[in-house]
Amino acid sequence: MTVCEFRAGLEGVPATQSSISFVDGQKGILEYRGIPIQELAAKSTFLETAYLLIWNELPTRDVLADFEHEIQYHRRLKYRIRDMMKCFPESGHPMDALQASAAALGLFYSKRALDDPAYIRAAVVRILAKVPTMVAAFQLIRKGNDPVQPRDDLSYAANFLYMLSEQEPDPFAARIFDVSLMLHAEHTINASTFSAMVTASTLTDPYAVIASAVGTLAGPLHGGASEEVVEMLEEIGSVENVRPFLEDRLERKQRIMGFGHRVYKVKDPRAIILQQLAEQLFEKFGQDKFYDIAVELEQVVEEKLGHRGIFPNVDFYSGLVYRKLGIPTDLFTPVFAISRAAGWLAHWKEQLGENRIFRPTQIYTGLHSAPYVPIDERQQKLPPEG
Ligand code: ACO
């Protein structure tokens, strides 16, 4: 079979067959293993959902308890990983710190047995357990403090919030954070998942798979958008300034962060739930000055861009939820990585099940049989960069 049509960004080109998640971008449907996201958000937990995504079945109470227990047991970092993180520049972005630390896990757990289910399970457990600890550790290290040890008596979500602030979180706040982790856990073949799959298809180790996905998630067109949403709301500053800000930005052909999606042409179902979570948090812990600005912005964007299918995406309200939970702005994307690690691992496992190395083709647009000009006869056409 020869496929010659070039689609920029591989838009609409199937890159795999998968049974992990399903999106209908016209109807605003997202399902994990066939279960609507709304149902999971109301009834499940992040670790239960991660298990569902990775092993394709909802765990029984006992199986889930074992899984949670194993994850608790593996939350700690080796002291040499903590020491390595202490050498990172404190001004570095936490996503870079996470990418480097995730890759470093491969140095410490170098045995690779990709056809052994026990190895797969151990790698899944280790990654889900340690990614939150690494994110929290860098946060404390860059403030000049020693990282705190994880607490075994706290749930996955509560323990992360505890490791960040060194204070036990309110159970309601921890539950909201857990739901937010679930909502970000998986989303078909987005850029970072594709990156994970390409890396996985070479049969490298799972830590390299996660490191490569983290690097891809970091960009502002993908996971990095939630940070930029909060910065944009800060820049807007008041409800009155929303319309002039938007008109100016659109006139200068700039994008409005947190809006638009390659697949969704309606409001992202995750944004609907996250907005509800934000409202619940504000009701319990006090309003956020940016919320009214965000709601007004959504209305004006809908008025101006709705006819082009540009509506809030998952990143629009997630930043407001994270802010209220006390998470610093530049940790929003690492927090996204904590949840998306579940989806990356599910795709890693699925890829291994029926692996073929990714090797797409290209449409060559360069020269043929070009002359080789000797160095002394060359004329520089382009100014040197830099
Ligand atoms: N603001 C203004 N215009 C937009 C926006 C936006 N947020 N999104 C798309 N458009 C416009 C583009 O300018 C383009 O217009 P044109 O045809 O006149 O050139 C048109 O809509 C199509 O844009 P594409 O970039 O081709 O659409 P694509 O489906 O490839 O992009 C993307 C999706 C990258 C998410 C885009 O909507 C965007 O840049 N949004 C802002 C960044 C963002 O919020 N990213 C997070 C996405 S969710 C996630 O990754 C977890």
Side-chain angles (χ1 to χ4, degrees):
M1 181 184 61
T2 315
V3 180
C4 296
E5 192 192 351
F6 166 62
R7 308 289 295 267
L10 295 182
E11 182 166 0
V13 177
T16 192
Q17 301 193 82
S18 177
S19 63
I20 299 170
S21 63
F22 170 79
V23 175
D24 182 328
Q26 300 296 334
K27 295 190 185 139
I29 294 173
L30 170 60
E31 294 170 339
Y32 293 169
R33 298 289 188 184
I35 304 177
I37 188 72
Q38 293 81 354
E39 200 162 346
L40 289 165
K43 300 176 185 164
S44 188
T45 64
F46 172 67
L47 285 185
E48 185 185 9
T49 297
Y51 190 98
L52 167 73
L53 289 167
I54 297 164
W55 283 286
N56 193 14
E57 62 176 356
L58 282 169
T60 61
R61 203 174 282 284
D62 286 350
V63 168
L64 179 60
D66 284 351
F67 185 52
E68 288 171 344
H69 182 75
E70 266 183 81
I71 286 184
Q72 267 164 19
Y73 184 78
H74 286 278
R75 278 176 185 165
R76 287 172 190 231
L77 298 177
K78 285 188 186 294
Y79 82 88
R80 286 197 288 173
I81 294 187
R82 290 204 306 272
D83 285 357
M84 178 194 81
M85 295 178 85
K86 287 178 187 165
C87 300
F88 293 169
E90 61 211 24
S91 57
H93 195 284
M95 276 302 265
D96 294 329
L98 178 60
Q99 188 184 26
S101 321
L105 287 178
L107 290 163
F108 292 91
Y109 307 100
S110 54
K111 173 181 170 270
R112 193 185 315 153
L114 298 176
D115 50 1
D116 177 359
Y119 173 83
I120 304 272
R121 182 174 173 112
V124 164
V125 164
R126 205 170 270 135
I127 288 165
L128 291 179
K130 293 190 193 306
V131 167
T133 315
M134 293 191 295
V135 173
F138 184 65
Q139 170 63 9
L140 292 196
I141 289 169
R142 69 177 173 163
K143 287 199 302 187
N145 299 331
D146 263 329
V148 294
Q149 290 294 0
R151 270 197 25 204
D152 290 350
D153 59 322
L154 295 178
S155 70
Y156 191 83
N159 175 60
F160 174 70
L161 294 175
Y162 161 74
M163 288 189 298
L164 268 191
S165 64
E166 301 178 75
Q167 282 177 356
E168 197 173 320
D170 180 281
F172 181 72
R175 170 63 191 163
I176 297 267
F177 183 57
D178 196 62
V179 176
S180 157
L181 291 177
M182 256 186 277
L183 293 175
H184 290 83
E186 159 64 9
H187 207 245
T188 73
I189 313 302
N190 52 82
S192 58
T193 301
F194 187 45
S195 174
M197 287 164 53
V198 172
T199 310
S201 79
T202 69
L203 301 185
T204 184
D205 71 69
Y207 310 104
V209 170
I210 298 303
S212 111
V214 168
T216 310
L217 184 69
L221 295 187
H222 193 9
S226 57
E227 271 180 48
E228 300 207 10
V229 168
V230 169
E231 284 160 15
M232 179 180 70
L233 295 175
E234 258 167 30
E235 194 185 332
I236 295 174
S238 69
V239 172
E240 298 70 47
N241 198 30
V242 166
R243 192 172 285 274
F245 171 90
L246 186 76
E247 285 170 352
D248 175 61
R249 209 148 176 169
L250 291 180
E251 205 165 291
R252 288 191 283 123
K253 302 244 173 288
Q254 286 181 349
R255 290 186 180 223
I256 316 302
M257 301 317 277
F259 288 87
H261 199 277
R262 174 65 64 79
V263 182
Y264 292 117
K265 299 304 162 202
V266 294
K267 186 168 176 178
D268 186 325
R270 300 165 298 175
I272 296 173
I273 304 175
L274 280 160
Q275 185 175 8
Q276 291 162 357
L277 298 184
E279 284 174 357
Q280 288 171 25
L281 277 174
F282 302 152
E283 206 169 295
K284 188 156 165 86
F285 300 111
Q287 285 303 314
D288 182 312
K289 60 179 178 168
F290 292 150
Y291 185 59
D292 291 344
I293 301 175
V295 171
E296 175 73 5
L297 183 62
E298 177 178 346
Q299 274 173 15
V300 186
V301 171
E302 184 173 341
E303 184 192 305
K304 304 261 179 207
L305 299 173
H307 65 284
R308 298 174 65 186
I310 297 173
F311 291 95
N313 60 46
V314 67
D315 283 327
F316 190 57
Y317 287 106
S318 62
L320 294 184
V321 169
Y322 295 154
R323 249 169 74 84
K324 203 68 201 170
L325 293 171
I327 298 172
T329 309
D330 64 358
L331 289 194
F332 293 175
T333 320
V335 164
F336 192 161
I338 292 174
S339 12
R340 188 52 62 84
W344 295 331
L345 289 165
H347 284 273
W348 169 60
K349 186 168 167 293
E350 188 174 69
Q351 182 67 34
L352 293 180
E354 218 157 310
N355 190 51
R356 184 138 197 242
I357 189 168
F358 277 93
R359 198 348 181 152
T361 185
Q362 63 169 14
I363 293 172
Y364 178 65
T365 60
L367 302 171
H368 288 288
S369 304
Y372 178 83
V373 180
I375 193 160
D376 293 332
E377 295 169 24
R378 290 175 205 164
Q379 305 261 319
Q380 194 78 46
K381 288 192 204 112
L382 298 172
E385 288 182 7

